[in-house]
Amino acid sequence: QVQLVESGGGLVQAGGSLRLSCLVSGRTFSRYAVGWFRQAPGKEREFGAVITWSGGRTYYADSVKGRFTISRDNAKNTVYLQMNILKPEDTAVYYCAAGGFGTTEHAYDFWGQGTQVTVSS
């Protein structure tokens, strides 16, 4: 079993930055890639970014590429999502998930509870 806990969400003005953290625990966490998804009110959950746990390979959705950076600190069992140049349309609940290196929800087996990010205009 793998547990994920997100933190770092909050309210920020457009153009600002936030860094989300995803603390991953569990005996087999090193076998999984970790991704970030988000869900805005009234919309489906969408993929944002993913990183392999051991290899450092990353992939981004076009909507966040160039503004968001996913990284990991294996010593702290934590995956980060650095979000820069935030826009009001980035407002959503952000989730981290552990699973395969994919861009759809079906690739992931374990999910966190989410953290709210609100970007004001």
Side-chain angles (χ1 to χ4, degrees), residues 70-90:
I70 190 170
S71 62
R72 82 232 189 269
D73 184 336
N74 290 347
K76 296 182 178 179
N77 295 348
T78 301
V79 175
Y80 303 99
L81 186 68
Q82 177 66 43
M83 306 187 296
N84 299 327
I85 317 174
L86 282 162
K87 307 174 182 180
E89 51 263 44
D90 293 319

Side-chain angles (χ1 to χ4, degrees), residues 1-4 22 24-35 50-57 70 72 74 77-79 96-102 106-111:
Q1 192 75 5
V2 175
Q3 296 82 40
L4 302 100
C22 176
V24 184
S25 61
R27 292 191 297 174
T28 59
F29 68 86
S30 62
R31 296 170 53 186
Y32 296 96
V34 175
V50 60
I51 189 168
T52 55
W53 193 260
S54 58
R57 179 186 170 198
I70 190 170
R72 82 232 189 269
N74 290 347
N77 295 348
T78 301
V79 175
C96 62
F101 190 84
H106 303 294
Y108 296 85
D109 301 305
F110 305 100
W111 292 81

Side-chain angles (χ1 to χ4, degrees), residues 44-72:
E44 294 185 352
R45 189 151 52 182
E46 66 174 6
F47 167 78
V50 60
I51 189 168
T52 55
W53 193 260
S54 58
R57 179 186 170 198
T58 61
Y59 185 78
Y60 297 90
D62 288 343
S63 58
V64 306
K65 192 179 299 181
R67 300 187 298 123
F68 291 9
T69 302
I70 190 170
S71 62
R72 82 232 189 269

